[in-house]
Amino acid sequence: MNPKVDAFIFKAKKWQDEMEELRRILLSCALIEEFKWGVPCYTFQKSNLILLGGFKDYCVLSFAKGALLKDPNGILIQQTENSQSVRIIRFTNLKEIREKQALLKTYIFEAIEAEKAGMKVILKRNSDLVLPEELLAKFQLDAQFKHAFEALTPGRQRGYCLFFSAPKQVSTREIRIEKYHQQILNGKGITDCTCGLSKKPPNCDGSHKYI
């Protein structure tokens, strides 16, 4: 048991009992308890398998490669249409967790077996990304910027495209592109820390601003 997880659950405003129960189930499956990105992370053979977290209306188990699981009971949720790999299971009370304990272990052990087999989620190619016209125009004016964007990981490219395309007004889309111009040149994604360190905690102490 990782003491950082003890502190995380103790400080939680909601779902303390539920997260303790989920934690017990996860540890009973012989996973290693770590603390990454500010949340409890359960690993198998040094690979991130499941995250434990709490939100306003529910707490969750987040399966890093949940898309590989069969899910005959239909309890896995694709949180957004752009979540290609991650699938979550939501909980709203302790009784529900206890009733589903055996079922949850089935999903956990299936995730472990998928990791043992070296299975990987086949991610969609970014060739189907629709780049906003304002971004394409910026590429024509700034070859270095275009090269930096194309060098980003597919997930980071997709994140930027969705964010840049969201506003209805052209001026707002252009402002967003300019705002993140330097961050893209620095090879960082839209949610990466601006402190100069590689990613979110544990590499960052959490005091820095995330955009």
Side-chain angles (χ1 to χ4, degrees):
M1 298 176 71
N2 191 308
K4 291 184 178 180
V5 176
D6 291 329
F8 174 85
I9 295 177
F10 178 77
K11 292 178 182 178
K13 295 181 180 179
K14 294 182 68 176
W15 314 116
Q16 289 183 337
D17 292 340
E18 288 79 4
M19 286 193 287
E20 283 285 10
E21 185 67 11
L22 289 171
R23 180 191 195 187
R24 184 190 65 77
I25 293 171
L26 289 162
L27 290 175
S28 72
C29 296
L31 297 178
I32 302 299
E33 184 175 72
E34 301 186 40
F35 195 73
K36 301 182 179 182
W37 311 290
V39 296
C41 177
Y42 296 84
T43 66
F44 176 78
Q45 294 181 351
K46 299 183 179 180
S47 294
N48 302 325
L49 216 66
I50 301 169
L51 300 180
L52 170 63
F55 296 90
K56 180 180 178 180
D57 299 321
Y58 50 82
C59 60
V60 300
L61 289 184
S62 179
F63 289 77
K65 296 180 180 178
L68 296 174
L69 305 183
K70 296 175 182 178
D71 193 27
N73 300 279
I75 62 175
L76 292 176
I77 299 171
Q78 182 179 1
Q79 201 159 19
T80 70
E81 62 180 13
N82 298 296
S83 297
Q84 297 191 54
S85 181
V86 176
R87 297 291 185 271
I88 68 171
I89 304 178
R90 295 175 179 171
F91 305 94
T92 57
N93 59 75
L94 188 59
K95 180 182 177 183
E96 177 187 14
I97 295 171
R98 288 174 174 167
E99 289 176 347
K100 292 181 178 178
Q101 175 174 319
L103 181 61
L104 289 176
K105 286 187 176 183
T106 299
Y107 281 73
I108 294 167
F109 287 128
E110 185 180 351
I112 291 173
E113 290 304 315
E115 196 62 41
K116 284 181 179 179
M119 296 174 64
K120 298 183 182 298
V121 177
I122 300 175
L123 302 177
K124 295 179 181 178
R125 295 173 56 186
N126 262 22
S127 57
D128 61 347
L129 275 183
V130 178
L131 303 179
E133 293 182 5
E134 295 77 17
L135 185 59
L136 293 172
K138 184 69 173 177
F139 287 166
Q140 292 182 350
L141 295 173
D142 190 338
Q144 182 184 9
F145 177 72
K146 180 177 184 292
H147 177 75
F149 184 87
E150 292 174 345
L152 295 173
T153 62
R156 285 172 172 160
Q157 290 182 25
R158 183 176 295 275
Y160 276 122
C161 281
L162 292 171
F163 182 70
F164 293 156
S165 301
K168 294 181 178 180
Q169 296 187 0
V170 172
S171 60
T172 306
R173 293 197 292 269
E174 291 175 342
I175 289 171
R176 287 191 174 188
I177 293 170
E178 286 302 320
K179 181 177 180 180
Y180 287 90
H181 177 267
Q182 188 59 50
Q183 187 151 325
I184 290 172
L185 289 178
N186 292 340
K188 292 187 176 295
I190 197 167
T191 59
D192 288 346
C193 185
T194 60
C195 69
L197 297 174
S198 61
K199 281 290 268 184
K200 294 183 180 181
N203 294 315
C204 170
D205 64 9
S207 64
H208 302 284
K209 179 181 179 182
Y210 293 93
I211 298 178

